[in-house]
């Protein structure tokens, strides 16, 4: 699920922030090593962002689970969407680890954010 090399994690931040703020969350970037933290009342979520799905992203997300219950990973929407190579395996692994998945379509002007699933007990 490779993406363009000129893409940066920061490209994901603005659309994610706007998406979460529209739902009523207060959003902060780079909080205690977390890419994005959002809070609404008693609901605290952490989102780790990477330009592709990889082991470093998984490792960061699992470490965040020590401090907060709701951890998501955010990646750019892969070319081919859910038909992309490795999509089903990635989703199965994230679900087993109880980590949510968010994609951001950077080809769209508003960065179209989609929550594919939330972190739930496997």
């Amino acid at each position: 699920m490779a993406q363009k090399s000129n893409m940066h994690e920061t490209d994901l931040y603005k659309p994610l922030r706007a998406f979460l703020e529209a739902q009523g969350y207060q959003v902060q970037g780079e909080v205690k090593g977390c890419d994005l933290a959002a809070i609404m009342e008693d609901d605290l979520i952490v989102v780790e962002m990477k330009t592709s799905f990889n082991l470093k992203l998984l490792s960061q997300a699992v470490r965040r689970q020590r401090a907060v219950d709701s951890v998501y990973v955010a990646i750019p929407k892969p070319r081919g969407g859910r038909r992309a190579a490795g999509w089903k395996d990635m989703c199965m692994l994230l679900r087993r680890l109880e980590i949510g998945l968010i994609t951001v379509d950077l080809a769209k002007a508003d960065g179209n954010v989609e929550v594919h699933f939330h972190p739930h007990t496997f």
Side-chain angles (χ1 to χ4, degrees):
M1 287 194 231
Q3 293 290 320
K4 296 182 220 173
S5 61
N6 61 349
M7 186 182 313
H8 303 285
E9 288 177 33
T10 53
D11 297 334
L12 302 172
Y13 179 77
K14 189 175 179 181
L16 282 169
R17 179 183 184 120
F19 175 79
L20 291 167
E21 286 178 341
Q23 294 183 42
Y25 285 91
Q26 292 179 347
V27 180
Q28 294 289 317
E30 291 301 325
V31 176
K32 295 187 179 188
C34 300
D35 291 337
L36 183 149
I39 189 164
M40 179 173 50
E41 298 175 12
D42 293 337
D43 187 21
L44 171 64
I45 65 170
V46 167
V47 181
E48 288 298 329
M49 302 178 287
K50 287 283 180 270
T51 57
S52 65
F53 183 75
N54 56 44
L55 186 57
K56 185 174 181 180
L57 176 63
L58 280 179
S59 176
Q60 286 177 326
V62 168
R63 280 196 311 271
R64 302 302 174 243
Q65 287 176 314
R66 294 178 190 162
V68 64
D69 291 330
S70 294
V71 178
Y72 292 81
V73 296
I75 59 172
K77 181 179 178 182
R79 292 187 190 113
R82 295 178 183 182
R83 294 183 309 272
W87 178 264
K88 287 182 183 179
D89 292 337
M90 176 188 67
C91 290
M92 181 208 49
L93 182 56
L94 288 170
R95 283 189 172 107
R96 278 201 167 268
L97 293 172
E98 301 175 3
I99 298 169
L101 174 63
I102 301 171
T103 58
V104 180
D105 188 350
L106 295 172
K108 306 269 182 173
D110 63 354
N112 193 29
V113 174
E114 182 177 356
V115 178
H116 294 273
F117 50 86
H118 299 279
H120 293 294
T121 302
F122 183 75

